[in-house]
Amino acid sequence: MASEKVETVIAGNYVEMEREEGNPKSTKGKFSKFFWDGGSACDAWFSCASNQVAQVLLTLPYSFSQLGLLSGILFQLFYGLMGSWTAYLISVLYMEYRTRKEREKVDFRNHVIQWFEVLDGLLGKHWRNVGLFFNCTFLLFGSVIQLIACASNIYYINDNLDKRTWTYIFGACCATTVFIPSFHNYRIWSFLGLLMTSYTAWYLTIASLLHGQIEGVKHSGPTTMVLYFTGATNILYTFGGHAVTVEIMHAMWKPQKFKLIYLIATLYVLTLTLPSASAVYWAFGDLLLTHSNALSLLPRNGIQRCCCRAHAHPSVHNIWRALARLPVVIPIWFLAIVFPFFGPINSTVGSLLVSFTVYIIPSLAHMVTFSSASARENAVDRPPRFLGGWVGLYCVNFFVVVWVFVVGFGFGGWASMLNFIRQIDSFGLFTKCYQCPPHKA
């Protein structure tokens, strides 16, 4: 049997619960542990990388057509770094909370710590309630977006069924993932998700370069402020996929190793997003403004069908598991059918929810948690020296809060809502097949 080993880390008496895996008694046991039982730094990296971009990868060329090539590249680098920073803040707050509780002899071996618990333990119930509201709402609409994306992708394999029908089908399939116990059991799914995402990204890159530029291609972006900030907010959403960071950390045998994992995952993701978005935008230009799913413009063949099957899956498991209640399936299905606007809905969710959930709340929470001299003196994790200590850290946090509130939530919310309303005016609610070409008999 596997034994449990408890070690005490000197910094702040942080108790690390490391599972030493014994030798499984059977080949079946070894097979099961290899595919399902994960808690290493590599498992966390797979989870972060596969959960970070997922379906948004297919809408990044659309964002490039709104932003222009240079702005698209710069925003990816900028928000990738900012997302990694706030993931680092969340990891610091998690370790601070867990250390304080373990000093009080609280044992977390049979309990999964949630983000709202961290806010509650460090800052009180009001912070907990705000964090819980934004986190749950973001996960709800994140699931809606994943469901819309799955239906959109599979449509390009079989257009005998419209996207709305595929939404019904995928909703039923994805709902079964709520039965997966915890992030310990996501090893194989995280690996497959990242493999599929990588395959899709390089397919988009190579297929676009081989296809070449369409006749009369134009690269006009940016043309309007609305499109510019809509595109920027979609990228904000892309690198704000760490609403389940705490759960991923808690699933690790050594969660203190998490601090740089998200940054490394982001750097890998950038090797996928930058080439694919740039290549597709180079090939199709302004045509992407009316084709939010990049797969819709590439020739249909066996490779693309394989790509659609692959990318219909990644990351759906994480979000559905986070919700973890089957009755939630019904409103998710309903919202996906009412607002099937793959692309524009990403930006709307990014500006109104991700801006607070992933960027503003963690930054403010970190500043308030360590606002007193005693809290800074006894902090489990101190700021990196290259930042200039606590002063430098507070300056970065303040910049993140102001930038995201003004640019992400303010301008981004204004632009995304206008663009979203335009989709409703153009296609209507409950549209049967969003941005579908005329069906050939």
Side-chain angles (χ1 to χ4, degrees):
M1 286 181 64
S3 62
E4 298 288 337
K5 175 183 170 185
V6 179
E7 296 179 358
T8 302
V9 176
I10 295 176
N13 291 330
Y14 176 80
V15 179
E16 171 192 300
M17 287 165 286
E18 179 183 357
R19 227 170 84 177
E20 290 184 342
E21 302 296 339
N23 293 322
K25 294 182 179 180
S26 65
T27 302
K28 183 179 178 181
K30 292 179 181 179
F31 182 84
S32 176
K33 285 183 179 295
F34 178 78
F35 282 103
W36 301 105
D37 199 6
S40 67
C42 288
D43 290 308
W45 182 82
F46 281 129
S47 293
C48 290
S50 63
N51 192 51
Q52 187 173 159
V53 62
Q55 304 290 358
V56 190
L57 176 73
L58 301 174
T59 65
L60 289 176
Y62 168 66
S63 294
F64 271 40
S65 69
Q66 297 170 319
L67 288 164
L69 182 63
L70 179 60
S71 290
I73 292 173
L74 292 177
F75 269 115
Q76 280 202 37
L77 295 173
F78 178 64
Y79 283 133
L81 182 62
M82 187 179 289
S84 299
W85 172 255
T86 54
Y88 163 74
L89 296 180
I90 292 172
S91 72
V92 170
L93 292 172
Y94 165 84
M95 292 183 65
E96 185 71 27
Y97 166 75
R98 184 166 164 176
T99 300
R100 292 183 186 182
K101 286 298 181 182
E102 286 175 341
R103 286 171 180 164
E104 301 170 4
K105 308 302 181 184
V106 177
D107 191 341
F108 289 110
R109 278 175 290 191
N110 296 314
H111 174 73
V112 178
I113 298 175
Q114 305 287 320
W115 171 233
F116 70 87
E117 293 178 77
V118 175
L119 292 174
D120 187 19
L122 295 177
L123 299 169
K125 65 178 182 179
H126 297 301
W127 279 84
R128 176 201 65 196
N129 294 338
V130 172
L132 191 60
F133 169 78
F134 277 104
N135 216 48
C136 290
T137 309
F138 167 46
L139 291 172
L140 173 71
F141 280 95
S143 298
V144 171
I145 291 171
Q146 296 291 350
L147 189 52
I148 293 170
C150 288
S152 177
N153 293 344
I154 208 69
Y155 171 81
Y156 296 110
I157 297 175
N158 183 350
D159 59 4
N160 292 323
L161 298 177
D162 58 73
K163 292 182 181 179
R164 187 168 65 190
T165 303
W166 283 118
T167 302
Y168 292 132
I169 295 171
F170 264 89
C173 294
C174 295
T176 60
T177 60
V178 300
F179 297 109
I180 299 177
S182 75
F183 273 92
H184 285 303
N185 307 103
Y186 281 126
R187 169 176 284 179
I188 185 62
W189 298 119
S190 296
F191 173 77
L192 290 176
L194 185 58
L195 180 66
M196 295 166 182
T197 301
S198 302
Y199 172 86
T200 303
W202 287 110
Y203 164 75
L204 291 175
T205 304
I206 296 170
S208 297
L209 294 175
L210 293 177
H211 181 279
Q213 292 184 312
I214 59 173
E215 185 177 354
V217 64
K218 294 182 180 179
H219 300 89
S220 304
T223 55
T224 68
M225 294 287 284
V226 170
L227 291 179
Y228 188 82
F229 285 107
T230 300
T233 310
N234 187 41
I235 297 177
L236 177 81
Y237 173 81
T238 302
F239 293 98
H242 43 287
V244 289
T245 297
V246 169
E247 289 88 337
I248 295 174
M249 282 188 67
H250 194 80
M252 295 178 66
W253 309 139
K254 298 180 179 181
Q256 71 271 23
K257 291 184 177 181
F258 183 84
K259 286 184 285 187
L260 290 176
I261 287 177
Y262 199 90
L263 176 60
I264 297 171
T266 299
L267 294 176
Y268 176 76
V269 166
L270 286 171
T271 68
L272 305 179
T273 58
L274 288 173
S276 59
S278 301
V280 177
Y281 179 54
W282 169 81
F284 298 100
D286 292 350
L287 189 59
L288 284 159
L289 290 169
T290 54
H291 295 77
S292 57
N293 189 330
L295 292 175
S296 65
L297 292 174
L298 292 168
R300 298 191 186 185
N301 52 41
I303 299 177
Q304 193 209 44
R305 283 191 286 272
C306 180
C307 177
C308 290
R309 291 190 187 99
H311 214 63
H313 176 75
S315 285
V316 176
H317 55 273
N318 289 346
I319 298 173
W320 285 91
R321 173 63 184 89
L323 293 169
R325 293 293 183 271
L326 284 175
V328 177
V329 171
I330 295 175
I332 289 174
W333 251 329
F334 178 75
L335 291 169
I337 293 165
V338 177
F339 306 114
F341 311 127
F342 185 45
I345 193 173
N346 301 24
S347 299
T348 306
V349 172
S351 62
L352 302 182
L353 296 173
V354 176
S355 57
F356 285 94
T357 305
V358 174
Y359 297 96
I360 293 176
I361 291 176
S363 299
L364 287 175
H366 191 277
M367 287 194 287
V368 175
T369 298
F370 298 105
S371 59
S372 67
S374 60
R376 294 192 296 273
E377 181 66 25
N378 298 312
V380 174
D381 194 287
R382 297 180 179 277
R385 289 184 178 181
F386 69 86
L387 277 179
W390 288 103
V391 174
L393 185 143
Y394 268 75
C395 289
V396 174
N397 284 346
F398 182 76
F399 172 80
V400 170
V401 171
V402 173
W403 176 276
V404 175
F405 185 80
V406 174
V407 178
F409 174 70
F411 288 106
W414 161 76
S416 299
M417 286 303 299
L418 280 180
N419 189 46
F420 194 79
I421 292 169
R422 288 174 184 173
Q423 306 306 310
I424 298 175
D425 292 339
S426 300
F427 296 93
L429 301 176
F430 297 97
T431 184
K432 197 171 184 179
C433 208
Y434 176 64
Q435 290 186 343
C436 294
H439 196 280
K440 297 180 181 179

